[in-house]
Amino acid sequence: MTASSLRQIRYFVAVANTGSFTAAAEALHVSQPAVGLQVKFLEDRLGLPLFDRHSRGVDITPAGRAYLKHAEVMLRELEEAELAMASFRGNQPISLRLGITPTIGRTILAHMMHRAAQPDIAMRVDCEEGVSDKLIHMVSVGDLDCAFCYDPAPEQMLAITPLYTEDLCLVGPSSVIGTDKSAIEFSALRGLPLVLSPRPNYLREMIEARARETAVTIAPVVELELIGLKREFLIHYDYCTIAPYGLFLSDIQNGQISCRRVVNPTVSRTMCLALNRKMPAVAVSRLFEMVKPLVSEHIALGDFHWRQQDAENTAKLIA
């Protein structure tokens, strides 16, 4: 198979998976005419139309659907062949552009970076910290290879793997929430001096949705986005916030602030790894070899309040 034939097949698969030449061109980082030309070359070579073109995009033909099954298998086997070659040449360093949420940065990132430097993983990791929506967009357009993110919506260009579910906690000074580490009822949040992120914010929207369900009025006294500034309000000004345990991990562990899991109802979300589907198979393999044992270890330890991902939520994420 020539390089041009392989390019034609890759472009065809991208159009089939995205539903348009424009979206495929964006995903492949090439021009739309280049995608259209390569697909036309493939159709001419096969002697069959693979797509029906119309003003709204494209529809794959029965012949195209049959060819897609074989094309995806072939591309997957090529990736697996490249992965198999790694055992013969030894692990060559791989560069990875990784998106992380603030919670990941404060819990397992240092362990991950240490693991990445080991000879059996051999990954050079460049990190970009941000909120989930920003990171998901960066992965989908190819600015990042992959990212940790909360509850991502399914997208054609993303492969999503749920990792764990975490319940959010009320975090604040013991003078306000007490020293008792037992769970606290959601209704007890009424009237507390809260500092929350301004809208639009996914975590804020989750909290307010639970408040509407339970007819509990949640009125933040202060709206702040910066985590460092929130921390100052918690430690020095007797405010509280609703956050994952890991976001203020060191302050909770050294006793500067207290933490109580919110229940009835819980406010939960699932951490996932979102991968760009163009990420090389060898990089995917090393990434999961690095991440999955680490996540499983902390789920077992219970030190970050992580648990196995909810089956119902997992089904929604990977649908």
Side-chain angles (χ1 to χ4, degrees):
M1 177 179 293
T2 65
S4 60
S5 298
L6 183 58
R7 185 183 308 112
Q8 292 166 13
I9 294 170
R10 290 189 188 279
Y11 285 17
F12 159 72
V13 170
V15 175
N17 285 333
T18 60
S20 78
F21 286 94
T22 300
E26 291 177 355
L28 295 165
H29 302 289
V30 297
S31 68
Q32 181 179 341
V35 175
L37 187 62
Q38 292 299 321
V39 172
K40 183 65 169 60
F41 286 158
L42 178 61
E43 290 177 319
D44 290 345
R45 184 159 59 84
L46 296 175
L48 289 166
L50 300 175
F51 297 105
D52 289 327
R53 281 84 164 166
H54 50 74
S55 59
R56 299 182 306 280
V58 297
D59 291 322
I60 193 166
T61 64
R65 192 171 295 108
Y67 190 74
L68 178 63
K69 293 180 181 179
H70 295 286
E72 288 182 324
V73 169
M74 186 201 70
L75 293 178
R76 186 162 55 249
E77 289 182 346
L78 280 174
E79 286 189 351
E80 291 173 355
E82 292 177 2
L83 181 60
M85 293 302 100
S87 62
F88 291 95
R89 63 176 179 265
N91 276 350
Q92 301 297 314
I94 293 176
S95 294
L96 181 72
R97 299 168 300 166
L98 174 67
I100 59 167
T101 63
T103 302
I104 290 295
R106 288 159 176 77
T107 51
I108 63 172
L109 181 61
H111 299 279
M112 284 178 51
M113 298 297 281
H114 172 72
R115 186 74 180 91
Q118 303 307 304
D120 61 322
I121 299 295
M123 298 188 83
R124 294 188 295 266
V125 183
D126 293 322
C127 292
E128 172 84 21
E129 184 175 299
V131 296
S132 290
D133 288 347
K134 170 191 171 184
L135 298 176
I136 292 166
H137 174 73
M138 293 180 71
V139 174
S140 65
V141 301
D143 291 338
L144 291 173
D145 299 307
C146 55
F148 290 92
C149 51
Y150 289 109
D151 301 325
E155 289 188 27
Q156 288 284 358
M157 293 308 298
L158 297 181
I160 298 170
T161 300
L163 297 174
Y164 62 84
T165 296
E166 64 181 6
D167 297 332
L168 299 184
C169 302
L170 177 66
V171 183
S174 57
S175 60
V176 178
I177 70 173
T179 57
D180 185 0
K181 295 183 179 180
S182 63
I184 187 170
E185 298 277 328
F186 191 93
S187 59
L189 304 182
R190 183 186 287 111
L192 287 179
L194 292 176
V195 52
L196 297 176
S197 296
R199 303 186 190 92
N201 176 271
Y202 175 60
L203 179 56
R204 171 82 175 265
E205 291 167 1
M206 289 182 64
I207 295 167
E208 291 181 338
R210 293 293 187 274
R212 288 191 296 271
E213 292 169 8
T214 55
V216 173
T217 301
I218 298 291
V221 179
V222 177
E223 293 185 331
L224 295 172
E225 188 66 58
L226 297 177
I227 295 169
L229 194 53
K230 284 182 182 177
R231 176 182 177 275
E232 293 297 309
F233 270 70
L234 267 57
I235 293 175
H236 299 295
Y237 301 109
D238 289 344
Y239 283 80
C240 304
T241 193
I242 302 169
Y245 179 89
L247 192 60
F248 298 98
L249 179 64
S250 59
D251 295 312
I252 295 170
Q253 290 179 338
N254 65 28
Q256 283 192 283
I257 51 179
S258 297
C259 174
R260 299 177 67 180
R261 189 168 67 93
V262 178
V263 297
N264 296 328
T266 58
V267 185
S268 304
R269 54 187 184 174
T270 298
M271 176 63 78
C272 302
L273 261 177
L275 282 64
N276 188 292
R277 292 189 183 276
K278 293 177 63 180
M279 187 172 166
V282 63
V284 174
S285 176
R286 293 192 202 177
L287 175 66
F288 282 118
E289 186 179 346
M290 176 172 61
V291 171
K292 284 192 171 182
L294 193 55
V295 169
S296 297
E297 176 186 346
H298 286 290
I299 289 175
L301 289 172
D303 51 351
F304 296 154
H305 291 207
W306 295 351
R307 53 186 169 84
Q308 294 290 345
Q309 61 270 17
D310 293 332
E312 179 181 355
N313 199 30
T314 298
K316 293 177 183 177
L317 289 167
I318 63 177

